[in-house]
């Protein structure tokens, strides 16, 4: 008898349940950690005040979470309209479009938020690679990774021409260069750094790799038929 036989692999359903439970637990833990900072901006945001809500990190994050049901409603309306028109992949297309917008615009808003010396302090540029990574800190690095993460995750699912890692890298780097250039031209009291471009592009690529199982099949289907 072979006593070293390995146990059978768990079924896919059990694996999905475990992964879903871990994801819910992670989201709940994150919500528990940031609940106090977000609630500090809640009164001003609920009152519709600009100052103290839309010009702060906590306020922008809070409004992003509050508008999640609205984003889901927009995705449902787009999918329903496409299904009525006979589009086969109505839901993936609609979710990808809403996900790109809802997951990217808030981070762009935070990135373009002016500093205390905006308009008076001249633009600053840092072109030495990897020099600013030491000053970013963990929070700054994670924030830069998330700027174009939604774009990298959903863009190849929506546009077949972007269904490759090099193209997502080019997309993330190009969008980041535009943002850094705008920061410099508008004199937002921010440093236009090449490290921001590198980290933003890396975040887009990592997000694209996370969604690769969904867009790779769609990209390989036409070549298989040929």
């Amino acid at each position: 008898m072979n006593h070293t036989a390995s146990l059978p692999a768990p079924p896919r359903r059990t694996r999905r349940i475990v992964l879903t439970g871990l994801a819910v637990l992670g989201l709940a833990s994150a919500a528990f950690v940031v609940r106090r900072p977000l609630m500090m901006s809640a009164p001003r945001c609920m009152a519709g005040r600009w100052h103290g809500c839309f010009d702060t990190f906590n306020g922008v994050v809070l409004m992003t979470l509050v508008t999640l049901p609205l984003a889901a409603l927009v995705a449902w309306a787009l999918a329903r309209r496409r299904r009525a028109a006979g589009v086969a992949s109505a839901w993936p297309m609609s979710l990808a479009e809403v996900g790109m917008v809802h997951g990217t615009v808030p981070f762009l808003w935070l990135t373009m938020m002016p500093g205390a010396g905006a308009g008076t302090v001249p633009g600053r540029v840092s072109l030495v690679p990897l020099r600013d990574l030491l000053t970013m800190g963990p929070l700054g690095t994670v924030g830069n990774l998330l700027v174009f993460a939604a774009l990298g995750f959903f863009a190849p699912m929506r546009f077949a021409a972007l269904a490759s890692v090099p193209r997502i890298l080019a997309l993330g780097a190009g969008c980041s260069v535009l943002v850094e250039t705008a920061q410099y031209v508008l004199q937002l009291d921010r440093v236009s750094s090449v490290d921001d471009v590198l980290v933003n592009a890396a975040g887009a690529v990592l997000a694209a790799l996370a969604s690769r199982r969904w867009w790779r099949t769609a990209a390989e289907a036409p070549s298989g038929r040929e």
Side-chain angles (χ1 to χ4, degrees):
M1 295 178 63
N2 186 7
H3 297 284
T4 61
S6 60
L7 295 176
R12 291 185 178 180
R13 183 176 181 182
T14 304
R15 187 178 303 174
R16 291 178 181 176
I17 293 175
V18 172
L19 292 178
T20 303
L22 292 176
V24 172
L25 182 61
L27 291 175
S29 301
F32 179 79
V33 171
V34 302
R35 73 188 191 284
R36 288 186 177 180
L38 295 183
M39 289 301 103
M40 292 173 60
S41 302
R44 295 182 179 271
C45 292
M46 295 300 103
R49 299 180 182 179
W50 183 277
H51 181 65
C53 179
F54 294 100
D55 60 348
T56 63
F57 175 83
N58 296 334
V60 174
V61 174
L62 177 62
M63 295 308 297
T64 303
L65 297 176
V66 170
T67 53
L68 273 176
L70 178 60
L73 181 61
V74 172
W76 173 81
L78 289 175
R80 185 177 181 181
R81 182 177 181 181
R82 284 181 170 135
R83 290 188 65 181
V87 178
S89 56
W91 271 107
M93 292 175 60
S94 303
L95 290 175
E97 291 173 354
V98 176
M100 282 189 296
V101 175
H102 191 78
T104 305
V105 170
F107 286 101
L108 288 179
W109 184 276
L110 293 173
T111 303
M112 299 299 295
M113 194 176 293
T120 58
V121 178
R124 292 163 290 174
V125 180
S126 176
L127 299 179
V128 180
L130 306 180
R131 187 179 68 179
D132 295 335
L133 287 177
L134 300 177
T135 61
M136 284 185 185
L139 184 59
T141 303
V142 173
N144 282 324
L145 287 174
L146 294 176
V147 172
F148 295 112
L151 185 65
F153 189 91
F154 291 107
M157 298 170 58
R158 176 59 181 87
F159 304 104
L162 296 175
S164 69
V165 174
R167 294 177 182 179
I168 291 298
L169 177 63
L171 176 65
C175 293
S176 183
V177 168
L178 292 177
V179 171
E180 298 299 315
T181 304
Q183 289 178 350
Y184 178 81
V185 173
L186 299 176
Q187 296 184 357
L188 298 180
D189 191 18
R190 289 178 175 269
V191 179
S192 300
S193 173
V194 67
D195 287 344
D196 290 338
V197 177
L198 296 176
V199 179
N200 293 344
V205 170
L206 292 176
L209 293 175
S211 64
R212 191 177 182 181
R213 58 177 298 182
W214 291 289
W215 55 262
R216 183 175 58 180
T217 303
E220 291 177 350
S223 60
R225 285 195 299 266
E226 292 175 2

